[in-house]
Structure formats: structure tokens, C-alpha cells
Amino acid sequence: MALRRLCCCCCPEYKPADGFDDLEMRSVESTPATTPRDARGRHVRRNSSIEFWVPGGNRVTSVQPSSLDPSLYETADTDRKVSQLKIAHARRGSTDDVKEETLGTVWSKIHYDAITERLVLRLQRISDLPRKGDNKLYDPMAVICLLPDEKHCFRSKVIRNTCNPCFEDEFAFPLEKVMEHARDLLTCVLRISVYDYNRTHRYNVIGHALFPLADQDLSGRNTVKAPITKRSKITGNLGEVQLSLAYLPYLDRLSVVVNRCKHLKILDKSVTSIDTYAKVTLMCGSDKVKSKRTEVVENTSKPVFNQSLSFVVPYSYLDDTSLVITVMQRTFLRSDAVIGRLVVGPFFYAQGESLTHWGKMAKSSEAKKQWHPLYL
């Protein structure tokens, strides 16, 4: 009734609706004068029902606050957005997925001449080389050799200022000398290494393309292709290493955190655990600048290092800088053995427009963490 008097005082022309006299504030009247309290004297909230009364004496069904069903408020648009998020998450996959970076493609034809016992390679072209930095071209050339011999090597001509060089060069390997070391031709691997030629007559390696002859068409009629990676030899799974990279341009500091390794290949089959450490080498072009190493982690094939190594790298040299991370096994009777290694930098993009780990680091001042496969 107090509400009725207030409305009449504020608005003289106010006329209450029929049945307004029956309006009762049940929520107020039903509330006891003393509410329950806990041991500390604080009010305790009760899950009581709330009753609503409208003019005309119509009563609305009471609702329990805890009985609300969120599914009743979902729409078709909401369901569609949720399903799209699930699909995107499934496509993205886990953040620990290891993907080897592809740095281009080599196109060639391979022909085996049984009469002259020669293996003839026709190097056609190389496509989609990643640019260094934001927009730098190469002077690419190729070096071709036959594994596991590696004694006979050929060099192609240098193509200036391009990321898609066309060579059309032909090279012939005499197999009578190679077969002394590889009795079966199908066990050999043809390796094409791609280099960047600079004005100081030095060659900076971009990557390698491997052609196992057992998997190739040796008739010479069809064009075969292979991706360019940092892997120079065909090896099994040597393990993976997790790195965190960060670059602070105002301090000219490049920080590398070697977090941990997993699935390391144990060279000595008689042991189940090994003593390992990681060595990080700073390279400028083909020159070794400085090396640092982590502490040795003993008796495990899944070492956790969590050690940060910092290098001084001016921003103007960042596009020519790379890091070689080598995981070593400590031995006592001979020199330490190499389990595997990897090279990061200075390519910003790989596999289309996706950023490499180095590209993510260069685009942001925050540390970027990623798993990398080991190779030789």
C-alpha cells in the first residue's frame, strides 16, 4: 500500500488498475525478520522460490534459481559457432605437433644408363625458396652428390636475384667407382644441396633435397620432385627438442632457452639411459661466431634442461644469423657422440605463408616456444 500512496502523491492523475489493491509484496512479507546466520554471524543465502504477482490478481508460477536450464536459451546460431570452434581446434591440433619446415622444392629428371653404367641427373629448376628477412632474394646454386660415397660432387651455375631459379643443367655419375662402396644402386641416395652465393665467394647453405633411388623413376621420362629441408641424410627418428626463442632489438640480445628433449635415440643399445647436454652455436653466414652449452643431465633419455643461453646480435645482422643446436651424448672412453642437430633461422616463412619459429620470434618481442625434430 505504501507504493500506491507514493504514486498518488507524485502523479495526481494516476488511476490504479483494477485489482491493484490485491497487489502484495509476497517476497517482502514472506521474508522472516531474522534470517539464518552461520557460525561467524554472516547471512546465509537460501535457495527459496520467488513469487511474482501482477495487477489483476494473476499469479506467476514460482521459479527456483538453481533450476534454470541453459540449453533452453541456446539458438541455432550459437550451436553453429560452437561447432565451428570445435572444427578449428581439431584442425589446429596439439601445440606439441612437430612439423619439419619445407624450404622449397627441387624438380629434376633421373636416368640410369645400364650400357655406360652412368646415373644422369637433369636439374630443371628450384621453386619457392623462402626469402631471408622480409624481402631478400638469393643468388642460388646447387651442389649434387651421391650418398653414401660423397666423393663425386658437381656444382651448377649461379642464378642471380631469384627465389625460383631455372638451371637445366645435366650431370653424370660414373657408377663403377661408386659401386665399390654401394653394391646395390637402389641403396644410394642422390642429394641436391642448395646454397646462397654471396659476393665474398662464400656459400651459405639453404637446405638439402634427398632422392632415394629406390623410390624414384630412373627411366628419365618423368619429372620427380623433393622438398628442401635442413636434413642432409636419411635417418630414422633421432628425437625432438623443445626450444624457446626471443629477440630484444633494443638490447641486441638473442635468447635461446633449451627446455627439454624427448624420444632421443640411444646410440649404445646396451644402456637404457644416457648423459646428455645441448650445444648452441651462433652462426653468421657460414662463419662460426660463438658456442655455448647447457649442463649435463644424467641417466635419462628425456632430459629437462630449462637453461637460457644469450647472444649479442645487432639487428642489422639478424637476417644473416642462424643457430645450430646439437644434442650430444657424453662418453668417457672417446669423444662425445652427436645424437642429432637442427638449424633455425633466418627464414621468416615456410610452407606457404605460415611463419617459421624464427619468423614468429622476429615479429614479436615475446618468447616463442616450439618443438623441433633432430636430424644429421
Side-chain angles (χ1 to χ4, degrees):
M1 302 305 294
L3 179 61
R4 178 181 178 183
R5 297 190 188 96
L6 179 61
C7 295
C8 294
C9 295
C10 297
C11 183
E13 299 180 0
Y14 172 78
K15 294 182 180 181
D18 296 338
F20 190 82
D21 293 336
D22 297 333
L23 178 62
E24 299 179 9
M25 300 298 180
R26 295 296 179 89
S27 61
V28 177
E29 294 178 0
S30 61
T31 304
T34 58
T35 57
R37 298 173 181 269
D38 59 6
R40 296 185 180 181
R42 297 175 299 184
H43 291 281
V44 178
R45 184 178 178 181
R46 299 183 303 177
N47 292 330
S48 59
S49 61
I50 303 175
E51 298 178 350
F52 297 91
W53 291 78
V54 297
N58 296 326
R59 179 177 179 179
V60 180
T61 305
S62 60
V63 179
Q64 292 287 346
S66 60
S67 63
L68 296 178
D69 187 3
S71 62
L72 298 177
Y73 303 93
E74 294 181 357
T75 61
D77 184 61
T78 304
D79 297 339
R80 183 169 60 254
K81 291 181 180 179
V82 172
S83 61
Q84 290 176 354
L85 290 175
K86 291 181 179 179
I87 293 174
H89 178 74
R91 289 179 178 177
R92 184 172 63 252
S94 174
T95 55
D96 287 351
D97 290 344
V98 179
K99 296 182 179 179
E100 190 170 6
E101 295 173 352
T102 302
L103 308 175
T105 306
V106 175
W107 305 77
S108 61
K109 289 184 177 182
I110 305 175
H111 172 60
Y112 171 63
D113 191 346
I115 300 177
T116 59
E117 293 185 352
R118 295 192 311 165
L119 184 69
V120 180
L121 169 71
R122 184 172 183 82
L123 178 61
Q124 296 177 324
R125 60 189 177 94
I126 299 175
S127 62
D128 302 326
L129 290 177
R131 299 190 179 191
K132 289 193 300 182
D134 290 328
N135 194 14
K136 285 190 175 181
L137 300 176
Y138 296 99
D139 296 336
M141 62 164 293
V143 176
I144 302 94
C145 66
L146 195 62
L147 303 179
D149 182 82
E150 293 191 57
K151 290 186 176 181
H152 293 82
C153 295
F154 299 94
R155 293 186 179 184
S156 71
K157 56 189 175 184
V158 179
I159 309 297
R160 303 286 181 177
N161 297 323
T162 181
C163 288
N164 297 279
C166 294
F167 296 97
E168 298 297 338
D169 291 341
E170 191 170 289
F171 311 96
F173 292 89
L175 294 181
E176 64 274 4
K177 296 181 180 180
V178 177
M179 297 307 287
E180 296 177 1
H181 303 277
R183 297 180 180 178
D184 190 357
L185 175 64
L186 299 182
T187 62
C188 297
V189 177
L190 193 63
R191 183 178 68 192
I192 301 178
S193 302
V194 184
Y195 291 85
D196 180 27
Y197 178 82
N198 55 31
R199 296 180 180 179
T200 59
H201 300 282
R202 294 185 179 182
Y203 303 93
N204 303 327
V205 63
I206 299 174
H208 312 273
L210 301 176
F211 293 86
L213 297 184
D215 302 332
Q216 308 302 323
D217 180 11
L218 302 182
S219 64
R221 293 188 294 268
N222 300 321
T223 300
V224 294
K225 63 178 182 179
I228 301 174
T229 63
K230 290 295 185 180
R231 190 184 304 271
S232 62
K233 296 181 180 180
I234 295 181
T235 58
N237 184 16
L238 301 180
E240 301 164 8
V241 59
Q242 188 185 55
L243 302 177
S244 180
L245 301 179
Y247 180 72
L248 301 178
Y250 54 90
L251 295 178
D252 291 339
R253 186 176 67 189
L254 175 62
S255 298
V256 185
V257 179
V258 183
N259 295 316
R260 60 185 188 271
C261 298
K262 64 181 181 180
H263 308 314
L264 291 181
K265 182 178 180 181
I266 301 178
L267 303 179
D268 188 358
K269 301 298 183 181
S270 62
V271 297
T272 58
S273 61
I274 52 178
D275 302 340
T276 57
Y277 64 92
K279 182 172 67 174
V280 181
T281 303
L282 177 67
M283 305 288 294
C284 185
S286 57
D287 297 331
K288 178 180 176 182
V289 179
K290 194 172 185 179
S291 293
K292 296 183 178 181
R293 52 176 287 181
T294 65
E295 300 293 334
V296 178
V297 179
E298 299 179 348
N299 298 326
T300 179
S301 60
K302 299 179 181 180
V304 178
F305 301 103
N306 286 334
Q307 189 167 347
S308 177
L309 307 174
S310 298
F311 301 91
V312 177
V313 179
Y315 185 77
S316 57
Y317 289 88
L318 189 62
D319 292 343
D320 297 320
T321 301
S322 60
L323 294 171
V324 180
I325 295 89
T326 308
V327 179
M328 307 287 295
Q329 177 180 349
R330 187 180 64 174
T331 57
F332 298 97
L333 300 179
R334 58 183 185 276
S335 59
D336 295 345
V338 177
I339 298 177
R341 62 170 58 91
L342 66 100
V343 181
V344 291
F347 309 110
F348 274 31
Y349 299 94
Q351 297 177 347
E353 294 299 325
S354 60
L355 282 172
T356 63
H357 194 187
W358 188 273
K360 295 176 183 178
M361 175 206 70
K363 295 292 185 180
S364 174
S365 59
E366 299 180 356
K368 300 298 180 180
K369 185 185 298 185
Q370 185 172 319
W371 284 97
H372 295 268
L374 295 173
Y375 46 80
L376 292 175

